[in-house]
Structures are given as structure tokens and as C-alpha cells.
Amino acid sequence: MRKGLTASQAAQRLVADGLNLLPQTDRRTTLRIALEVSREPMFALLMAGGAIYAVLGDLIEALILLGFGSFSIAVTVLQETRTEHVLEALRDLSAPRALVIRDGAMQRIAGAEVVRGDVLVLEAGDRVAADAHLLEAADLSADEALLTGESLPVGKQVVADHDEATAAMRPGGEGQSVIYSGSLITRGHGLARVVATGARTEIGRIGTSLASIDPEPARLRRETARIVRLSAAGGALVALLVVVLFGLARGSWIEAILAGITTAMTLLPEEFTVVLTVFMAMGAWRIGQARVLTRRAAAIETLGATTVLCTDKTGTLTENRMALVRLWAASTGEVRLPLSRDDLPTSSRLVEFAMLASPPKAADPMEIAILEGAQQVGVRRAPDLVLDHTYGLRPELLAMANIWRGRKGSAPVLAAKGAPEAIATLCGLDEAACTQMTAAVDRMAGEGIRVLGVASCTLPADDQRGALDDYDLTFEGLIGLADPLRAAVPDAIAQCRSAGIRVAMITGDYTVTASAIAAAAGIADGEVLTGADLEAFSSGELAHRLSQVSVFARIMPEQKLRIVEAFKAAGEIVAMTGDGVNDAPSLKAAHIGIAMGNRGTDVAREASAIVLLDDDFAAIVKTIALGRRIYDNIRKAMAFIIAVHVPIAGLTLLPLLLGKPLLFGPIHIALLEMVIDPVCALVFEAEPGEDDIMRRKPRDPGAAMFSIPMIGWSMFQGSLALALLVAVYVSAMHMGLAEAHLRGLMFFSLVAATFALILVNRSFGASLIRAVGSGNLALIGVIAAVAAVTAAILAIAPVRSFMRFDVLHVADGAIAVGIGITVLFSLELVKPRVARALGIRERADSLRPDVAGRH
């Protein structure tokens, strides 16, 4: 036995190198999340607006804003805290323990205490604690999926000169002498000397590189903050102008200040902040119901703008497990699983010997798949069979075999499996049989299927266990294994295509396998670019080729990052999926990083904005649809906000221009805000998605949310409502209505016009009947609440007096309802035509040339 380090040597190196731990990001505690949320410009402005109203003495408006701000902060903190708690539960809190040789004896220590020079004892099922060079290896294979993303294990072997042999080695290569930290031993055993620990390991270097990558900020938040600042400045300027003009014209500066406050309340866009904060918080809650966690609420909206979805293959498109999918026997030909009744007699024999060639308790993914496939076919090992001897893989003979002995008197049975050419050699197949077998192998390999040959032999009872190639084996056939495509993936890919989203597969797997999976998934036909090709391209050449490539194969971690950066440089909004440490840099660099929660690593989850708890690719499509719905509903709410403020501001300023008493004071505006704010925050947020939400192109990332066409359409709506209200106002003035009577009539007419604007803006193009029948419970609740408040105002004399209203008659109510109906039906008649002319609604049949061309 090798001596390894002494205890004192290990202690000295532990002091010099530090613990064998990867750098970890600080945990996001509830307090830290709350501080981060409260510093967001939208939340800060919402709370500041409430504080200003409180100082001005408008407690109702102050309480409304502070209430919405507190609610939004609470929901966001609760959601993100829940996400962090789930991530904490997903972390492996205990570092893997390691079996090492120290002072000439084997001892198990904490993985954090492993140091350079330690000799690791490796057995099947062990998680490797550090990067190490192999000293001894017997049929050793390791699963390096954490580093490569690929589920198939790779074989390891000892080489004489470590320095020369390992200089250019990277994870994922077959026949290497390096064993990497974080990899899992799937078969065999060996010894290895540690050469790197902690941040100096291959997995540690990838994690450390994350510090140099800045995540993308949310575009919507920046744009909304800019619009709010501009609108607030404009509103304040108009309010100041009203104070000056009112004071100079009428001489009453107290009334002038009140008029200025009222005007400011009608113009200040505090609803913008309500909309953004509540929509993002509720969006995170809604997508959480689909078992998708959002570490940053604004990420959902950005995902809705995605133009390119870069996805890993293993575990994202596929199930991340090997399965027995194909059988081929020389006598019957090729069959697919599940087997038909006619295929059972010959195929079950092939599966039986493949099972007997595998260990009873398998750790290798392919052997696990063989045992599971045998169960599905109904093949069971005879209970009296006992494993007598095993022949392991050898570099010169890529085949392994087991000898089984049954009850006394029965002949021993040898079952072998391995590379088809090795099995053909052991069976002594003639040229014709080899040609037939090779054609079958090529056919399956062309579909990305891993192929193994199977052979058998009945031994004499007194068998002396010679070398494996001394036996006269009979060729049974071929078995094909593959990582199956997830059932929901083809439909999800099709939805992405119809939504104008380009899907690009980036994998470390071989070109043939990657192409086969891409074809089965329905990823658009295009070129396959390998890591070697990518390395030879300049940035300009890569940018030119990106539009023609749909599959990237044999890609290394740093190349994934380069691909993401190239897509971003081309103006695309990039979403990237991944699970391994190798994916973390590209996850962080993408506009939206999407990590797998079930099998993802801590580093990948920490670098991402969204975590899929069920590792389901279809959940990404649901989240994209939700992101688009959120963006649509934000635009609807913003359009309503702009439209509704036109008649409010107009009726506030009109009496000033005509030299008449003010219609509305701060209390009336506050009461209107009690309708507008819940509508913006709850009614529009609860609106279902448009019918074509996943049949239209992604929005242009450079396009402004508050486009000139949208503002123009909103101003048109508000102007129509204002014109009708002004007509009523002027007519009532000519009829000599008392001030209190006129105020009540105009107030409830404005409320009716407001509800008409709500119904108009609930849908971009759907008919009124469909919009009303969409079942928005929030709208029903708001209507019921407004009806109750209206009835209270009209029925309770003290309340009516406080509002400075007179008793209204049935004719007044008819006028108010008539205003609402006229606004509603007039706008519904012109909405499809005007919206289409203004280009507000973008349909899938009008894809940008760059989007249409790549599909």
C-alpha cells in the first residue's frame, strides 16, 4: 500500500493552501432581500410619493400609495425569500467525505480537509473531492456531468508521464489519467494523488470566473423609471404654472396652492410604479405555482422578450438517464422498445444475456439502463444463479463478461458485452456477418444511439477460467442505449418556433448524437458548429455564422460563454439553460439564466435568475408566455393610465380657463385614484393572455414601451371621453345647474367614462363580448366595490355633503351611463382599425426579416 502523506505534512499543507472548499457567494437573508427590494427605484418612488402626500395632508392618497408599496414589497420579499429557502434545501450542506491514505493507513476525512499530495482511494459510488492524477486504476470510469453536462461516464487509465499527458487535458475526454473534483466514480476502483484543491481545481476555476461577469439589468425597470421621472417633472411644472396663473388671475394664493396640488395629483404618474411593482411581484407568485422559482422578479418580464433560447441537451431536452431503446439480432433484425408479442421470444434472449453481462447492483448509467430494460421486457435472472467470476474491461479488449453458476449440476454460463467490434472478434464472426453487424451499428449510431454487442457461451462444469478471448462465444446481437428525449420537448420547441423564438442547442456531446436529438426535438434545420470550428473563428466570423447554426457540439464551458456573448452582440435577448458548474458563466452572462433545480449545481443556481424545480423544458415556454402576458398587461395598464388622466386633468383645468369654480378638489381626485389604482394593480394584472401570445414575434428589444403610437392611441381615447364630458359640462352650465349638482353629475359621469376606458383597454384586439367574458374576478370585485361606494355617497346625506354633491336624479344617472356607453362603443368600433394603423399590435405573420428568415 502506498504511504501517502503524514499527518504533519497534511496539516502544514492545509495551513498553506486553505480548506478544500469552493468560493461561495453570500447567502441572501430575508433582511438583505428586503433592503435590496426597498432600494429599487420603483419601490422607493412609490413610498416617497406616499410620504409626500402625507406631508401635504392628503392621508387617503398617502395610505393608498403606502399600502400598495408595502404590499408589493411584502410579496416580493416573501417570494424571493421562499426561493432562497428552497435553494438552501437543494444545497448539499455536507461536503463529500474522502477516503485517503495517511501515515500508511486508510482513513476517512472531511472533503474540506483534503490537501495536495493526499492519495485518494477511489471506489464505485464515491464523489471525488479534488483534482488528482491516477496512480492505479482497474476498469475505472467517472461521471463528469458537473463539468461537461454529459451523462455518459468516461473511462480512465494510468499514464506514465503525468506532466506531458495532462498538459492539454480537459474534462470529458476518454482514457485520461486525471480525475476531477466533483466527478462521480461509476465503475471500478483506483488510487490517485491530489494535485489541486479548492479554487485551484477545474470546477473551482469556473466558479471563480463568475466574479468577472456582470449580470444584465432589467430593461423594463430602467425605461419605466425614466418615464416616471420625466412625467413627474412635467406634472410638477404644470402644477406650478397653475398656481402662478390662478394666483395672479384671482388673487387667492391659498386656493391657488390647492388648485396646484389638485392638478399635480391628476398628473403625477404614481400608478406607473404601482403597476410595475405589483405586476412583477404577482408574476413571481403565479409562475411559482408552476414550480418555477424566480430569484429576481423582473426576470419574468425579460424572459417574455427572449429572441434566442440557448439550451443544454442532457437533462434539459433529454431525461438525463440512459434507457434501452433498440435491439438487433442477426436472425430477426432491428426492433424498438417496447417489444411486441412477436418480438419477445428472440429479443428477450438478447436482453437476458445483456443483463447477465452486467453486475447485479449497477452504478454505471448504461448498466442501470440494461437492468431496467430487462425488467420492462419481463426478463428476470434465475434466483439460483450466483456470480462466480468477472472479466473487466482492458485497453486492448473493450469488452467485459460475467460467469454465472447455478444449482449443482448445471453448466456455468458466460455473458459478455462491449464494443461491437470487440464482441465480433471474440465471436469470430465472418466477413458477411461483420458487414451486416456494422451496417446495424452505423444505422443506430446515426441516430445518436450508443451501441453495445452481446455474446454468450455455455461452459463446461469444470471450467478453469481461462482468458476471455480463449472462449468460443456465440454472437447474440446488439443493444442500443440513449438518453431519451423528454416527451413534452417537441411541442415546447414548436411553440417557441411559432412565437418567433430561435432555439439553439449547445452541448459537449458528439456531433452525431447532438444532431439526432436536435432532429427529434424539432429544432430548426441548420448547420452544426463544433468547438474546434468555433475556436478557429474570429468574433466577426462567428457573428456571421450564428444565423446559420442551430446546434453547437463538443463545446467547452468558455465557448458557451463566447456563444452567449456573440448572440448578445448581435442584438438578441438571450435566455440560457444549464445545470452544471460549466454552465454558470454563460448563465450569468445571459440576459436570463435558467438553472435546473433538481439536478443543478449550487453554482449554476446562484448564477441564474430563474430556477426550474422540475427540470422541465416545457416550463420555460410557460414562463415565456407569462412574461409576454405581463408585458402586454403592463402596456394595457399604462395605456389606461394615460387615457384616464386626460379627462381628469381636462376637467380640473377647464374651470380655471373659463373662470369658473373648481369642479374637483383633492378629496375627489383621491376618490378617483381609489378606483384607478386597484384597477391598474389588480384588474389588468389578472387579465388572461391574448389569444396570439405565443404566435407573435418577440418584441423588438430596442423598442420603447411608451411608443408614440401607444401614447397617441391613449390620448385619442382620453380626448374622446373628455370631449363628451366637456359637452355635458357646457350644456349643464347653460341650463344653470347648481355648483353642487354639476359637480356630482360630472364626477359620476367621469367614473362611468373611466370604466369604459377600462373595458376598452382590457384587450388589444378581442371583441368586447370576449373581453367581458374572460372571467376577470378582480374586475368584478372592483365594480362591486365602486357600486357600493357610489350607493353610499348618493344615499348618505353627510357623506354627500362632505363630497359637496347635491342630490342626483334618474336623469343624471342616465346621462352618466350614457357617457360611459358612448365612450365604450365608439372606441370599440374604431379600436381594431386604429390599433392596426398605429402598429400597436404585432402579429406572428409580420415577423422581422431576421426572425422569419431563421425559421
Side-chain angles (χ1 to χ4, degrees):
M1 179 183 293
R2 296 176 183 267
K3 290 184 178 181
L5 298 176
T6 64
S8 60
Q9 289 174 327
Q12 291 173 0
R13 293 194 179 181
L14 188 62
V15 171
D17 295 346
L19 291 173
N20 178 33
L21 296 173
L22 297 180
Q24 294 186 348
T25 57
D26 295 336
R27 297 287 186 257
R28 296 179 75 221
T29 63
T30 301
L31 178 60
R32 179 177 172 183
I33 292 172
L35 291 174
E36 289 177 359
V37 170
S38 63
R39 284 198 299 266
E40 290 288 344
M42 295 299 96
F43 288 116
L45 186 58
L46 200 62
M47 303 303 283
I52 290 171
Y53 278 118
V55 170
L56 293 175
D58 188 352
L59 295 181
I60 294 178
E61 184 70 11
L63 290 175
I64 291 173
L65 291 183
L66 293 174
F68 273 117
S70 301
F71 168 77
S72 301
I73 290 175
V75 171
T76 304
V77 170
L78 182 66
Q79 177 63 31
E80 295 195 9
T81 300
R82 172 178 171 267
T83 298
E84 295 305 319
H85 286 168
V86 175
L87 293 177
E88 189 71 31
L90 292 170
R91 293 185 181 104
D92 182 9
L93 296 180
S94 58
R97 297 183 64 80
L99 187 62
V100 300
I101 299 176
R102 286 185 181 173
D103 292 324
M106 286 192 293
Q107 52 183 287
R108 193 163 298 274
I109 63 173
E113 298 175 4
V114 172
V115 298
R116 285 181 303 110
D118 265 330
V119 175
L120 299 176
V121 180
L122 306 172
E123 298 285 351
D126 288 348
R127 180 74 66 181
V128 180
D131 288 2
H133 288 161
L134 287 174
L135 302 174
E136 299 175 13
D139 191 19
L140 190 69
S141 292
D143 179 353
E144 297 177 349
L146 288 183
L147 289 160
T148 65
E150 301 310 317
S151 56
L152 282 179
V154 291
K156 299 291 181 179
Q157 63 184 32
V158 179
V159 297
D161 192 333
H162 286 301
D163 292 336
E164 292 183 8
T166 62
M169 282 186 181
R170 300 299 302 273
E174 190 74 31
Q176 291 187 5
S177 64
V178 179
I179 199 83
Y180 296 97
S181 176
S183 58
L184 180 69
I185 304 300
T186 59
R187 188 175 62 224
H189 56 88
L191 299 176
R193 189 177 300 280
V194 174
V195 294
T197 60
R200 292 170 292 277
T201 61
E202 189 72 24
I203 198 171
R205 282 194 290 271
I206 296 174
T208 303
S209 69
L210 292 173
S212 62
I213 301 173
D214 294 324
E216 286 286 330
R219 296 181 179 221
L220 176 62
R221 183 154 295 182
R222 294 199 311 266
E223 184 181 354
T224 307
R226 181 178 62 84
I227 294 297
V228 167
R229 286 194 298 269
L230 293 175
S231 300
L237 184 61
V238 172
L240 180 61
L241 185 61
V242 167
V243 171
V244 173
L245 293 178
F246 192 103
L248 293 176
R250 303 191 182 184
S252 176
W253 290 99
I254 297 297
E255 290 186 15
I257 293 174
L258 288 175
I261 292 174
T262 302
T263 304
M265 290 174 64
T266 66
L267 297 176
L268 284 176
E270 74 276 2
E271 293 90 357
F272 286 179
T273 60
V274 171
V275 165
L276 189 67
T277 54
V278 173
F279 276 43
M280 293 298 103
M282 292 301 293
W285 176 81
R286 288 184 188 280
I287 203 62
Q289 307 308 298
R291 294 185 56 76
V292 177
L293 299 181
T294 52
R295 304 192 67 235
R296 303 289 185 274
I300 302 173
E301 183 280 327
T302 307
L303 187 59
T306 298
T307 59
V308 173
L309 176 56
C310 297
T311 177
D312 190 19
K313 174 184 72 68
T314 305
T316 305
L317 300 178
T318 66
E319 297 180 5
N320 194 32
R321 66 177 183 88
M322 298 302 291
L324 191 60
V325 296
R326 205 71 56 85
L327 303 173
W328 182 88
S331 57
T332 59
E334 186 175 312
V335 296
R336 298 170 182 264
L337 271 66
L339 297 177
S340 67
R341 183 172 298 179
D342 294 338
D343 293 326
L344 275 174
T346 54
S347 299
S348 59
R349 175 182 171 86
L350 174 58
V351 174
E352 178 183 9
F353 282 108
M355 175 190 68
L356 293 177
S358 305
K361 294 183 178 180
D364 183 273
M366 288 194 294
E367 292 175 334
I368 292 173
I370 291 171
L371 298 182
E372 290 176 347
Q375 287 185 339
Q376 294 171 3
V377 173
V379 173
R380 301 286 186 274
R381 189 176 66 251
D384 63 332
L385 284 180
V386 177
L387 184 60
D388 184 60
H389 185 67
T390 295
Y391 293 94
L393 287 171
R394 307 196 309 268
E396 66 277 9
L397 183 63
L398 297 178
M400 63 181 300
N402 291 332
I403 295 178
W404 299 84
R405 292 187 182 274
R407 60 184 177 274
K408 190 173 182 179
S410 64
V413 175
L414 183 148
K417 72 176 189 302
E421 58 274 15
I423 295 297
T425 301
L426 289 173
C427 295
L429 295 185
D430 58 29
E431 185 176 349
C434 281
T435 301
Q436 187 182 20
M437 182 199 74
T438 301
V441 170
D442 292 343
R443 192 163 52 249
M444 285 191 271
E447 298 179 41
I449 297 174
R450 187 78 171 262
V451 185
L452 296 176
V454 178
S456 68
C457 179
T458 300
L459 306 180
D462 58 349
D463 176 63
Q464 300 301 310
R465 295 183 189 170
L468 181 57
D469 42 13
D470 291 338
Y471 291 109
D472 184 15
L473 301 183
T474 300
F475 182 65
E476 297 290 346
L478 303 171
I479 60 172
L481 301 110
D483 186 0
L485 190 72
R486 290 182 182 270
V489 164
D491 183 59
I493 296 289
Q495 288 186 57
C496 288
R497 288 167 64 87
S498 67
I501 300 170
R502 176 184 176 187
V503 179
M505 187 173 78
I506 305 176
T507 178
D509 211 339
Y510 291 95
T511 301
V512 171
T513 305
S515 299
I517 292 295
I523 293 176
D525 294 334
E527 297 181 13
V528 178
L529 194 67
T530 67
D533 297 332
L534 185 66
E535 200 66 32
F537 286 159
S538 65
S539 298
E541 290 172 328
L542 177 59
H544 177 70
R545 291 289 296 278
L546 277 180
S547 61
Q548 303 159 9
V549 178
S550 58
V551 176
F552 298 85
R554 303 303 290 166
I555 299 297
M556 297 302 294
E558 63 274 11
Q559 292 176 324
K560 289 186 178 184
L561 177 60
R562 187 181 174 197
I563 293 169
V564 169
E565 296 288 5
F567 275 125
K568 288 169 60 179
E572 306 283 5
I573 300 296
V574 183
M576 173 76 190
T577 71
D579 61 340
V581 174
N582 63 317
D583 297 319
S586 50
L587 285 173
K588 190 174 181 181
H591 293 99
I592 298 293
I594 306 170
M596 304 296 126
N598 223 0
R599 60 186 174 81
T601 59
D602 293 344
V603 175
R605 288 192 290 265
E606 295 288 350
S608 66
I610 291 175
V611 180
L612 307 182
L613 288 183
D614 292 333
D615 297 1
D616 186 2
F617 182 84
I620 301 175
V621 179
K622 294 177 186 176
T623 311
I624 290 174
L626 178 64
R628 291 188 171 194
R629 168 185 161 183
I630 288 174
Y631 185 80
D632 280 354
N633 288 346
I634 288 176
R635 294 190 79 194
K636 294 172 186 177
M638 298 298 189
F640 166 74
I641 290 169
I642 295 170
V644 79
H645 277 75
V646 172
I648 293 175
L651 291 181
T652 301
L653 295 173
L654 183 62
L656 294 176
L657 299 176
L658 298 179
K660 302 295 182 181
L662 290 176
L663 273 176
F664 305 135
I667 186 62
H668 302 104
I669 303 301
L671 194 59
L672 286 170
E673 296 292 346
M674 291 181 69
V675 176
I676 296 171
D677 287 353
V679 164
C680 293
L682 302 177
V683 173
F684 283 105
E685 192 282 327
E687 278 298 307
E690 298 284 318
D691 291 340
D692 70 340
I693 198 166
M694 290 300 286
R695 298 196 306 273
R696 72 173 88 138
K697 71 174 183 177
R699 70 177 186 271
D700 185 348
M705 168 180 282
F706 304 95
S707 62
I708 297 300
M710 189 195 87
I711 294 174
W713 170 233
S714 297
M715 295 295 292
F716 177 80
Q717 297 177 57
S719 298
L720 175 62
L722 177 60
L724 292 173
L725 290 167
V726 168
V728 171
Y729 176 76
V730 172
S731 299
M733 291 287 292
H734 283 297
M735 292 172 59
L737 259 63
E739 181 181 332
H741 191 171
L742 178 61
R743 180 176 293 110
L745 173 62
M746 296 309 300
F747 181 84
F748 288 108
S749 296
L750 180 57
V751 170
T754 299
F755 273 101
L757 294 175
I758 293 170
L759 295 176
V760 168
N761 285 285
R762 285 183 64 200
S763 173
F764 288 134
S767 67
L768 178 62
I769 296 175
R770 291 188 63 185
V772 171
S774 62
N776 190 328
L777 295 179
L779 176 61
I780 296 173
V782 169
I783 291 175
V786 171
V789 172
T790 300
I793 292 174
L794 295 176
I796 302 174
V799 176
R800 193 168 59 245
S801 176
F802 176 74
M803 297 294 297
R804 291 184 294 159
F805 292 159
D806 202 349
V807 177
L808 296 183
H809 308 293
V810 174
D812 299 318
I815 292 173
V817 172
I819 289 288
I821 292 175
T822 304
V823 170
L824 176 60
F825 284 99
S826 298
L827 291 175
E828 281 295 322
L829 286 173
V830 301
K831 180 170 69 173
R833 195 172 304 166
V834 173
R836 190 160 49 248
L838 294 177
I840 289 176
R841 196 162 185 227
E842 297 169 336
R843 299 181 181 274
D845 56 8
S846 61
L847 293 177
R848 292 192 314 248
D850 61 313
V851 177
R854 63 192 183 211
H855 293 291

